[in-house]
Amino acid sequence: MANTFAPFGFSQNRGTGSAPTYEQVPAPVAYNTANIFFGDPVFRLSDGSVAGVTTGPGPGTGVLAGIFVGCKYLSVSQKRTVWSNFWIGSDVASGNTVEAYLINDPNAQFLVQSSGGSGITQAMVGQLVQFAYGTGNTANGISGAYIDATTVGTTSTLPFRIMSLTFPVGSSTALTGQYNYAIVAFNNVETKVVTAAA
């Protein structure tokens, strides 16, 4: 059966600390920054805040700040503090900031879907890969980010390193083909030095 393309961003698989927080760190988001979804990679802007797909520099043009996993903000419409798994891109007074939570542990690893080409293969393990944002889901806040199998290579500035393929429950054979899944680790993040491919 063919794999279905239904990306969900970068879902933490392992790392420092324990579930559910995995030692998340806070970071500011400007009040007028576009949507940031749960599982989106984010970048640090020159003012110290973080941003994703629209406001940030975008894939391949900056060092990652981490993976966005939620936020807290004072809602203008609800007149109270709101905790959310994604930043909705509005509902904060002009000039105020949103407190985002990021995973930037240099040892973190993430489950992510692939797209393009024939998927991630065993021969690609240890190499580096670029991501794309896709389209986040405003109904549930889940990211649409994925890794692009056509970008796998040895360019040291690529943000993620492929660590392994995934195995269906009860199977010793990895899931293969277009839109399969992989476990990736940071290669290019603020807490980790950029490195070449293995």
Side-chain angles (χ1 to χ4, degrees), residues 38-102:
F38 184 92
D40 271 356
V42 291
F43 295 91
R44 181 96 45 197
L45 303 181
S46 60
D47 64 2
S49 67
V50 297
V53 58
T54 302
T55 315
T61 59
V63 174
L64 292 177
I67 301 296
F68 182 92
V69 289
C71 64
K72 176 181 75 172
Y73 60 92
L74 181 59
S75 166
V76 171
S77 64
Q78 299 181 53
K79 308 289 191 289
R80 66 179 179 87
T81 299
V82 171
W83 284 265
S84 175
N85 69 330
F86 80 114
W87 166 234
I88 62 174
S90 61
D91 199 24
V92 171
S94 177
N96 287 3
T97 58
V98 176
E99 184 175 279
Y101 303 106
L102 311 180

Side-chain angles (χ1 to χ4, degrees), residues 79-150:
K79 308 289 191 289
R80 66 179 179 87
T81 299
V82 171
W83 284 265
S84 175
N85 69 330
F86 80 114
W87 166 234
I88 62 174
S90 61
D91 199 24
V92 171
S94 177
N96 287 3
T97 58
V98 176
E99 184 175 279
Y101 303 106
L102 311 180
I103 296 170
N104 65 359
D105 169 19
N107 297 313
Q109 294 185 17
F110 303 89
L111 174 67
V112 64
Q113 188 168 30
S114 72
S115 175
S118 56
I120 301 299
T121 66
Q122 186 62 40
M124 295 175 178
V125 172
Q127 295 195 54
L128 309 174
V129 66
Q130 185 56 271
F131 74 94
Y133 278 106
T135 302
N137 187 327
T138 56
N140 60 23
I142 302 299
S143 171
Y146 56 90
I147 54 172
D148 185 350
T150 66

Side-chain angles (χ1 to χ4, degrees), residues 128-173:
L128 309 174
V129 66
Q130 185 56 271
F131 74 94
Y133 278 106
T135 302
N137 187 327
T138 56
N140 60 23
I142 302 299
S143 171
Y146 56 90
I147 54 172
D148 185 350
T150 66
T151 66
V152 172
T154 58
T155 304
S156 65
T157 54
L158 290 172
F160 294 99
R161 181 183 298 273
I162 300 167
M163 304 305 291
S164 69
L165 300 181
T166 60
F167 294 79
V169 175
S171 174
S172 60
T173 303

